[in-house]
Amino acid sequence: MAATDTASAARTDALADAAAPASKRVRSLSGLAPFLRPYKRQIALAGVFLVLAALSTLALPVALKSLIDQGLVAADPGERIMALRGHFFALFAVGAALGLFSAARFYMVTWLGERVTADLRNAVYAHVLKQSPEFFETTQTGEVLSRLTTDTTLVQTVVGSSLSMGLRNTVMGIGAMAMLIVTNPYVMSQVLGTLVLVVLPSLWLGRRVRKLSRASQDRVADSSAIAAEVLNAIPVVQSYGQEQREAQRFDAATENAFETARRRTRVRSALVAFIITATFGALLWGLYQGTQAVLKGDMTAGHLAQTVVFVTILVSSVAVLSEVYGDLLRAAGATERLMELLATTSKIASPAQPRELPLSRGGAAVALHGVTFRYPSRPKHAALAQFDLDVKPGETVALVGPSGAGKSTVFQLLLRFYDASEGSITIDGVPVREVALETLRQRIGIVPQDSVIFSANAMENIRYGRPEASDDEVIAAAKAAFAHDFVTALPEGYQTFLGERGVRLSGGQRQRISIARAMLKNPPLLLLDEATSALDAESERMVQAALESAMKDRTTLVIAHRLATVQRADRIVVMEAGRIVESGTHAQLSEAGGLYARLAALQFDQDQG
């Protein structure tokens, strides 16, 4: 339980720290700091084991020097054998310590990598779920999925492996350098001066690798976005015979990603080659000076062997660091993309001090006064213009009109997916902007035109409307929506898996599942968006009866074109170009000869045809 609380706190703190203003967005691996902060104890342990493993490695050359200079100097063969045994035992002890500390370090850093990546992935996903529809107007689903998978995997590689290797080799490299300076100060001062010349070109190449790493991740996200879009519309793609064209489009995107990755790899390879070659050359110069010292008698053979091993450690550390540096630069690009996503703030948020909605009896009162709204993607076109609508508790109001009249926009504003630029929207007398989003949306049930079925069984799909509902309540809702019979006829009844997006059900069956979900929620305000559009005549009659039962004691707004759906409404509101042009009952509007009468006549002619 404590671990769960810690992880939850980590995600909350990280999200708060990461969602900074655009001018303060984190643009490096330091953006991971909020996710690492809750695990200071584990990081400290990993650091201790890392240092101990590095020191164990650095102890090997010292033990080797003692073996050569002291284990072979005894004149008596027996004493020499005993001395060699002692030194070999010392070497084994150093090796055993190295193995133990390395294993402990590996476990701790791998645990950290998995834990931090999980927290980061959860924080990003939870943050995306809170974004308003405006966010998804400009951001493709495939782009988000790429950041959740590919980018977080890169971060996991760094935190769980590369960063640890980099720190370990940094400690070993610094230690080896320090020992070489102590034992050969004059020679190593020359080597250090040469190594400074290696750093400046490396930094320049490193910036190039980082930019190309970010570009490479963007291109991978492009191909993911194409795949997600096409796979979600596979019936349309196949019905139009566009499989080859879509495969070519995806191929072009992946080739673009490959080309960007190739350029990144080329620059990174040049960086690795330059660092290793330059460092190795500088250290060989120092080693050459050491051999000259042995020949002059200024250094023992054991001292030279120790120097050779320290040089080997230093060179290998630099080689590993050059590889790790490339990984860090690549992960920095992925971290930037994740931090940018976390820094995205939704314009639709709960108020700091939300008001409570009064308990609705017999339905909710709805009022829209002087509402003007433009979608962010269409700022010059008003979806609603000075729109006024009052709905009494328990009243059923049908919204009709041609496509683009603004009917669905009314629903989106009531659910507060967007905020109106002008006017007021209230439910039970309370402005929707002053109510917590969760509270507001708990009071509203919606049956969309395109039914959404999740990859779960029938029971859980209906229970989505009220997760705490019992099995009996779910079954009662299914019966009310005339879904019980076809659900029980499925191979495993309510436990039958419905497939991704409900592919195992017909359109009418999916719609009845959606209606049952809304009935189970039992809200005071019900929004029906073409709720019977996918039903055949027989199913429509059954669902109409269920909907009429569901409309009792609650306020209902209905968007529909079919007269059978709207004729029984208490009032029909006719919309055109974001305004109300007519209002009345079916009989009144039919006699008026206006827009409603023309739409009704057109539908009657189509039905007759």
Side-chain angles (χ1 to χ4, degrees):
M1 184 66 181
T4 303
D5 293 341
T6 301
S8 179
R11 291 190 289 271
T12 302
D13 294 343
L15 188 57
D17 291 348
S23 59
K24 297 182 180 179
R25 285 180 186 171
V26 180
R27 300 203 174 271
S28 67
L29 287 171
S30 59
L32 296 176
F35 296 91
L36 292 168
R37 196 174 297 134
Y39 307 110
K40 294 178 181 178
R41 179 173 173 271
Q42 289 86 348
I43 293 173
L45 281 174
V48 169
F49 292 135
L50 182 148
V51 172
L52 290 175
L55 292 177
S56 299
T57 304
L58 293 173
L60 285 172
V62 177
L64 181 63
K65 177 179 180 298
S66 298
L67 172 66
I68 295 174
D69 287 346
Q70 299 175 21
L72 301 176
V73 296
D76 183 73
E79 293 181 2
R80 189 180 304 165
I81 292 173
M82 293 302 296
L84 284 173
R85 286 179 180 176
H87 286 292
F88 273 110
F89 276 123
L91 279 171
F92 176 76
V94 172
L98 176 60
L100 178 64
F101 295 138
S102 295
R105 173 193 62 83
F106 173 78
Y107 175 81
M108 290 307 305
V109 298
T110 302
W111 185 92
L112 275 171
E114 296 287 349
R115 180 68 268 168
V116 169
T117 303
D119 290 345
L120 178 59
R121 189 176 288 127
N122 291 340
V124 172
Y125 184 68
H127 188 62
V128 169
L129 289 181
K130 296 178 181 178
Q131 297 304 303
S132 66
E134 181 180 349
F135 171 82
F136 295 98
E137 287 183 19
T138 56
T139 306
Q140 292 179 301
T141 304
E143 167 74 13
V144 176
L145 293 176
S146 174
R147 298 192 188 198
L148 278 171
T149 53
T150 308
D151 290 354
T152 53
T153 300
L154 281 176
V155 171
Q156 179 181 350
T157 301
V158 168
V159 177
S161 176
S162 298
L163 193 58
S164 170
M165 289 175 58
L167 291 173
R168 178 173 176 270
N169 282 278
T170 297
V171 173
M172 289 196 306
I174 293 174
M177 180 70 74
M179 292 298 295
L180 288 170
I181 291 174
V182 170
T183 54
N184 298 284
Y186 173 72
V187 174
M188 289 312 299
S189 63
Q190 300 178 47
V191 173
L192 285 176
T194 307
L195 290 177
V196 171
L197 301 177
V198 178
V199 174
L200 297 178
S202 300
L203 293 176
W204 180 80
L205 286 171
R207 282 195 295 269
R208 288 276 299 156
V209 171
R210 179 173 174 177
K211 291 179 181 178
L212 288 170
S213 296
R214 170 63 192 265
S216 178
Q217 292 305 110
D218 288 340
R219 300 293 77 75
V220 170
D222 291 342
S223 59
S224 297
I226 291 174
E229 179 184 40
V230 172
L231 292 177
N232 282 330
I234 197 67
V236 176
V237 173
Q238 293 179 346
S239 65
Y240 280 90
Q242 295 297 317
E243 296 94 333
Q244 183 63 29
R245 177 179 176 276
E246 293 298 345
Q248 291 173 350
R249 191 159 71 101
F250 183 78
D251 182 73
T254 53
E255 282 300 314
N256 194 7
F258 169 76
E259 182 59 27
T260 306
R262 187 186 65 80
R263 289 194 315 234
R264 182 201 74 229
T265 306
R266 185 175 60 192
V267 176
R268 183 175 170 182
S269 300
L271 174 65
V272 171
F274 175 77
I275 291 176
I276 294 178
T277 303
T279 304
F280 194 72
L283 293 176
L284 277 179
W285 167 252
L287 186 59
Y288 171 75
Q289 296 293 328
T291 58
Q292 295 301 308
V294 172
L295 294 176
K296 293 178 182 179
D298 297 334
M299 182 185 294
T300 65
H303 194 172
L304 177 61
Q306 175 184 269
T307 301
V308 170
V309 177
F310 275 131
V311 168
T312 303
I313 292 174
L314 182 54
V315 172
S316 62
S317 296
V318 172
V320 171
L321 286 173
S322 65
E323 289 283 343
V324 169
Y325 185 44
D327 288 339
L328 292 178
L329 292 172
R330 191 178 179 197
T335 303
E336 286 179 7
R337 283 161 47 88
L338 290 167
M339 293 304 110
E340 285 177 2
L341 195 56
L342 282 174
T344 303
T345 55
S346 175
K347 295 180 180 179
I348 308 299
S350 296
Q353 296 181 334
R355 291 177 57 181
E356 290 295 328
L357 282 171
L359 183 63
S360 298
R361 297 183 184 278
V366 177
L368 296 89
H369 293 156
V371 173
T372 297
F373 171 73
R374 295 175 176 83
Y375 284 99
S377 57
R378 293 168 287 168
K380 295 182 180 180
H381 174 72
L384 292 178
Q386 293 300 309
F387 184 84
D388 291 285
L389 177 65
D390 285 282
V391 183
K392 299 175 183 178
E395 187 178 13
T396 297
V397 175
L399 303 179
V400 300
S403 298
K407 304 183 296 296
S408 296
T409 301
V410 173
F411 283 15
Q412 298 206 35
L413 293 178
L414 286 173
L415 286 161
R416 208 179 162 221
F417 290 156
Y418 298 92
D419 280 334
S421 54
E422 298 177 21
S424 66
I425 303 172
T426 64
I427 293 181
D428 288 327
V430 181
V432 294
R433 292 192 185 205
E434 299 179 13
V435 182
L437 287 175
E438 183 178 0
T439 302
L440 172 68
R441 292 168 184 171
Q442 281 295 329
R443 296 291 187 95
I444 303 174
I446 184 167
V447 179
Q449 181 176 2
D450 297 323
S451 302
V452 176
I453 302 298
F454 298 96
S455 296
N457 59 40
M459 179 72 73
E460 293 307 314
N461 263 284
I462 298 174
R463 187 179 274 127
Y464 199 84
R466 186 155 54 91
E468 70 277 9
S470 66
D471 289 356
D472 290 340
E473 290 174 319
V474 170
I475 293 172
K479 289 179 178 179
F482 291 88
H484 178 73
D485 290 344
F486 80 78
V487 170
T488 53
L490 295 173
E492 297 177 39
Y494 281 88
Q495 301 304 316
T496 303
F497 178 70
L498 301 183
E500 186 176 0
R501 292 181 291 121
V503 294
R504 296 185 176 185
L505 301 179
S506 67
Q509 290 172 335
R510 288 197 297 269
Q511 194 70 312
R512 277 180 275 174
I513 291 288
S514 182
I515 293 170
R517 184 186 298 157
M519 289 182 172
L520 182 65
K521 188 177 183 181
N522 194 28
L525 176 59
L526 184 62
L527 307 180
L528 306 177
D529 187 356
E530 298 284 4
T532 60
S533 62
L535 305 181
D536 54 38
E538 182 179 356
S539 298
E540 183 177 359
R541 284 193 297 271
M542 290 190 296
V543 172
Q544 280 294 345
L547 289 176
E548 287 180 12
S549 174
M551 291 175 188
K552 293 178 181 178
D553 297 325
R554 64 167 51 89
T555 303
T556 307
L557 291 179
V558 184
I559 295 176
H561 293 114
R562 297 178 68 87
L563 294 182
T565 306
V566 302
Q567 281 180 344
R568 299 182 181 87
D570 298 320
R571 180 160 45 111
I572 299 172
V573 172
V574 185
M575 298 177 61
E576 186 176 27
R579 299 176 185 272
I580 296 177
V581 295
E582 291 180 297
S583 180
T585 63
H586 171 69
Q588 292 170 342
L589 295 175
S590 298
E591 293 176 3
L595 177 59
Y596 180 82
R598 293 196 299 272
L599 292 173
L602 180 62
Q603 185 182 129
F604 179 78
D605 291 341
Q606 290 176 339
D607 291 343
Q608 290 294 320

